[in-house]
Amino acid sequence: RVLEGLSMGTPLTLICAEEGMPSPKTIYNWMAEDEGLSSRIARAREAGFDRIAVDALEIADTPQEGVERIDTPDGPRIKRGDMLGHRRLQVETRLKLLAKWDPKRYGDKITQEISGPDGGPIQTVEEYRPTEADEAILLRIAAKRDEIRKSREAGEDAE
């Protein structure tokens, strides 16, 4: 009954809520002890997810007439029409559940790949270590900075 229910898209908690059924915890314990049962349940769930996807397509493709009562100053008015909002909610709920339950097949997977020149690997440098030439340049920059600072300070003192 568990495998049949799962393959029809019924969640385990609802199956286990039926009269005479074991608790979900018991099922999980059985799955931990029996790899064969665990794989059969996984396959049944996969079939159930496919069933839920088919149900979502059927709901989206099948208009469903509904009646809406609208109270107006002239009295109640009855409006008949497709229950588009209700059907949209049914489809969205199923798709969101599928994306959570089986994200690999039904989720919105977004990937981003970063590569180096010509699609090659990115080159990384562990740590920058200045060369003697770099150090000489840095010393000249520091000396020029100090010279400018002293020149500005001398100009401020003159004012």
Side-chain angles (χ1 to χ4, degrees):
R1 285 174 50 191
V2 170
L3 295 174
E4 182 181 340
L6 289 172
S7 68
M8 296 304 290
T10 306
L12 183 63
T13 52
L14 292 180
I15 295 168
C16 292
E18 295 175 12
E19 182 79 28
M21 293 300 291
S23 72
K25 184 177 180 178
T26 301
I27 302 289
Y28 289 125
N29 288 338
W30 290 346
M31 289 170 61
E33 295 170 4
D34 184 348
E35 267 189 49
L37 175 63
S38 185
S39 3
R40 288 194 307 276
I41 285 178
R43 283 193 305 275
R45 277 193 170 137
E46 207 169 272
F49 297 153
D50 291 343
R51 174 62 188 255
I52 292 170
V54 168
D55 288 347
L57 282 173
E58 287 177 5
I59 292 166
D61 292 341
T62 308
Q64 199 174 20
E65 186 178 337
V67 177
E68 182 180 358
R69 178 187 161 137
I70 303 168
D71 291 323
T72 66
D74 299 332
R77 192 178 68 131
I78 303 298
K79 178 182 169 188
R80 295 183 185 277
D82 184 15
M83 297 187 340
L84 184 59
H86 180 68
R87 289 190 304 126
R88 182 178 290 129
L89 176 63
Q90 289 178 311
V91 170
E92 285 178 9
T93 300
R94 283 162 176 77
L95 294 179
K96 285 180 181 179
L97 286 172
L98 287 173
K100 294 284 185 188
W101 291 338
D102 193 353
K104 192 173 188 179
R105 294 191 310 143
Y106 292 104
D108 294 331
K109 183 177 180 182
I110 299 172
T111 60
Q112 185 174 15
E113 184 176 314
I114 301 172
S115 60
D118 299 323
I122 295 175
Q123 300 297 317
T124 59
V125 178
E126 289 184 27
E127 182 181 333
Y128 170 71
R129 295 175 193 218
T131 64
E132 285 184 30
D134 292 339
E135 286 180 10
I137 292 170
L138 291 172
L139 287 172
R140 284 197 311 262
I141 292 171
K144 188 66 171 173
R145 181 194 63 213
D146 291 342
E147 182 183 317
I148 293 169
R149 187 178 296 143
K150 286 177 185 173
S151 171
R152 284 185 185 159
E153 288 172 1
E156 289 173 5
D157 290 341
E159 289 177 19

